[in-house]
Amino acid sequence: MELQQGPGGHTDREKGAEKNIILEEKIQVLQQQNEDLKARIDQNTVVTRQLSEENANLQEYVEKETQEKKRLSRTNEELLWKLQTGDPTSPVKLSPTSPVYRGSSSGPSSPARVSTTPR
């Protein structure tokens, strides 16, 4: 079996060996890039889990705050209504000149007539 010499004095076998070396180097580079990408994926997975947990905690906090705000608003409405209707269990009476007093001449008849301004 004869080895053919191409231009430049290299045999086909030498050319093949050089090509293999170049391909092996490319494989090593690609494997390293693959490992780097896997590490980044792992890091992103950890961060995603942390952010998801933090998001769930924040949503729970917002829900609790919303419920507390609604409760306080209802309590405020009830207290204002008691003040305006002259509820005997109310510790303070409002005069018709009070800035909180919003009733008509006959006075408010339900908490629905009390207006509050959202903050």
Side-chain angles (χ1 to χ4, degrees):
M1 178 165 141
E2 286 185 30
L3 294 178
Q4 301 230 344
Q5 239 179 345
H10 294 291
T11 63
D12 288 341
R13 181 174 277 168
E14 289 172 335
K15 287 181 186 176
E18 289 175 12
K19 208 176 217 182
N20 282 346
I21 291 171
I22 291 171
L23 290 174
E24 285 176 8
E25 289 172 354
K26 286 183 180 181
I27 287 172
Q28 287 178 347
V29 168
L30 290 172
Q31 285 175 333
Q32 184 59 50
Q33 288 175 345
N34 191 27
E35 291 300 317
D36 293 346
L37 290 173
K38 284 180 182 179
R40 287 177 60 189
I41 288 171
D42 290 344
Q43 289 173 338
N44 286 343
T45 301
V46 168
V47 170
T48 299
R49 282 189 193 124
Q50 290 171 342
L51 290 174
S52 292
E53 186 176 326
E54 185 176 345
N55 186 38
N57 291 337
L58 289 171
Q59 285 178 341
E60 184 179 332
Y61 174 77
V62 166
E63 182 62 27
K64 286 179 181 178
E65 288 292 312
T66 300
Q67 293 303 319
E68 179 65 8
K69 184 177 177 184
K70 287 178 183 178
R71 185 190 69 76
L72 290 171
S73 179
R74 286 190 304 267
T75 301
N76 189 41
E77 291 282 338
E78 180 183 337
L79 291 173
L80 283 172
W81 184 76
K82 284 180 179 182
L83 285 172
Q84 291 175 352
T85 59
D87 186 328
T89 62
S90 175
V92 177
K93 301 272 192 251
L94 290 181
S95 69
T97 58
S98 170
V100 186
Y101 185 82
R102 293 188 187 95
S104 64
S105 59
S106 63
S109 59
S110 74
R113 299 185 102 195
V114 176
S115 71
T116 59
T117 326
R119 294 182 193 207

